[in-house]
Amino acid sequence: FINIQQPDDTYTNPNRSLDFTKSIHYVLSYNATITDNLNFKTELYYQYLYDVPLRTYQPYTVSPINGLFDEGHLVSKGKGRNYGIEFTLEKYFSSQYYFLITASLFESEIESLDSIFYESRYNTRFAYNIVGGKEFNIGAAKRKLIGVSGKAIWSGGPRTKPLVNGIPDNIQLFEEQLQDYFRIDFSIYYRINRPKVSHIISFDVQNIINRLNTYNREFNYDSNGNYLGYEDEEQNGILPIFNYRLEF
């Protein structure tokens, strides 16, 4: 639906002939039940994308698969690839505790019209997660309990333009990687189970270490297009949340 004005003041819709983006997936997985409540899984995968819409002029990596939507002419000649390996170790809830550990190592790239593979916007390269929790009964009737849980996330940082001779490179849009993302959440709750209703009082603390993770780099220019510098935009720090909930 993009309208492009022509020299004779008429408009064209050059993107109406774009093809569907297509992909082929190859997955090799292994799953092992270690005990009744403990499971291990690993996957090796490769995804090939083709007929990807791309801008016809630089920077060529402006594409919907990079989360970028251009106001100009696109062609379905781009390619992409995602490949990596994932590991998952999961302890199902039993004996009043559970945990889940995942690790992912991967590459995500897009091939432009100049036949060069560039880093995609989402190529953080790794992601690790640990989630777990434990419940404790209070009293013989087991109608009251205290639970604690936590989560830790560590992944590669977001991608942005590199600086070349102090100036942002507008061709290689995502070749630079910012600092890693790291966050720890913690929760404690008190639960009272009644025949018809349960009361839950909880206290959650997100980002308990108060780390200010960078999520974007904003480049600043004056009205004439001269580069002025950049600012790293940060996410929120520590966030405590008190909650009372009824479950019927």
Side-chain angles (χ1 to χ4, degrees):
F1 298 102
I2 294 298
N3 293 310
I4 298 181
Q5 188 174 9
Q6 303 302 308
D8 60 358
D9 288 335
T10 61
Y11 289 85
T12 61
N13 304 106
N15 297 330
R16 285 184 178 272
S17 61
L18 289 177
D19 200 354
F20 288 109
T21 298
K22 305 176 182 70
S23 66
I24 301 174
H25 301 254
Y26 303 92
V27 180
L28 179 65
S29 62
Y30 173 76
N31 192 80
T33 300
I34 300 173
T35 67
D36 290 342
N37 298 304
L38 186 62
N39 189 73
F40 173 78
K41 182 179 180 180
T42 183
E43 282 192 352
L44 184 68
Y45 65 90
Y46 182 91
Q47 179 190 26
Y48 172 68
L49 299 103
Y50 60 103
D51 291 345
V52 172
L54 285 176
R55 180 191 274 183
T56 57
Y57 52 95
Q58 293 180 336
Y60 295 130
T61 53
V62 172
S63 171
I65 68 168
N66 266 336
L68 302 174
F69 299 88
D70 191 52
E71 294 292 319
H73 185 200
L74 303 176
V75 292
S76 297
K77 295 184 178 180
K79 298 176 183 177
R81 61 188 181 190
N82 302 297
Y83 56 94
I85 188 169
E86 295 181 349
F87 303 93
T88 301
L89 180 65
E90 182 175 13
K91 162 66 170 61
Y92 306 124
F93 187 82
S94 63
S95 302
Q96 293 191 290
Y97 78 97
Y98 71 94
F99 65 79
L100 174 70
I101 302 172
T102 66
S104 180
L105 304 172
F106 61 90
E107 290 286 337
S108 178
E109 300 169 321
I110 179 171
E111 183 181 4
S112 69
L113 297 180
D114 57 5
S115 300
I116 297 176
F117 272 100
Y118 294 94
E119 306 284 357
S120 85
R121 182 179 191 171
Y122 308 104
N123 192 23
T124 62
R125 290 188 170 164
F126 70 89
Y128 306 126
N129 296 275
I130 300 176
V131 180
K134 170 71 175 175
E135 289 185 345
F136 304 89
N137 290 322
I138 301 175
K142 297 183 179 182
R143 290 184 177 179
K144 301 178 182 179
L145 58 87
I146 291 178
V148 293
S149 63
K151 176 173 63 177
I153 304 170
W154 179 24
S155 70
R159 291 201 160 269
T160 188
K161 303 174 187 177
L163 296 177
V164 178
N165 297 323
I167 303 297
D169 186 341
N170 290 316
I171 304 301
Q172 304 182 78
L173 295 182
F174 304 109
E175 295 300 302
E176 181 77 14
Q177 190 168 14
L178 301 179
Q179 67 170 353
D180 290 354
Y181 179 95
F182 186 69
R183 169 178 155 180
I184 297 177
D185 298 341
F186 175 78
S187 176
I188 183 169
Y189 58 91
Y190 176 59
R191 183 182 183 103
I192 303 173
N193 295 318
R194 301 295 187 190
K196 295 184 179 181
V197 64
S198 294
H199 304 261
I200 303 100
I201 302 171
S202 65
F203 181 64
D204 303 325
V205 184
Q206 298 179 9
N207 194 12
I208 196 170
I209 61 174
N210 198 33
R211 179 181 171 92
L212 300 179
N213 290 295
T214 301
Y215 74 91
N216 184 47
R217 174 164 289 176
E218 186 71 28
F219 297 94
N220 300 316
Y221 300 85
D222 64 18
S223 58
N224 296 318
N226 298 311
Y227 175 62
L228 300 177
Y230 68 82
E231 287 181 66
D232 284 343
E233 299 176 333
E234 297 175 334
Q235 294 181 327
N236 291 331
I238 189 170
L239 180 63
I241 301 173
F242 179 80
N243 184 54
Y244 172 69
R245 187 170 77 250
L246 293 175
E247 291 184 358
F248 297 94

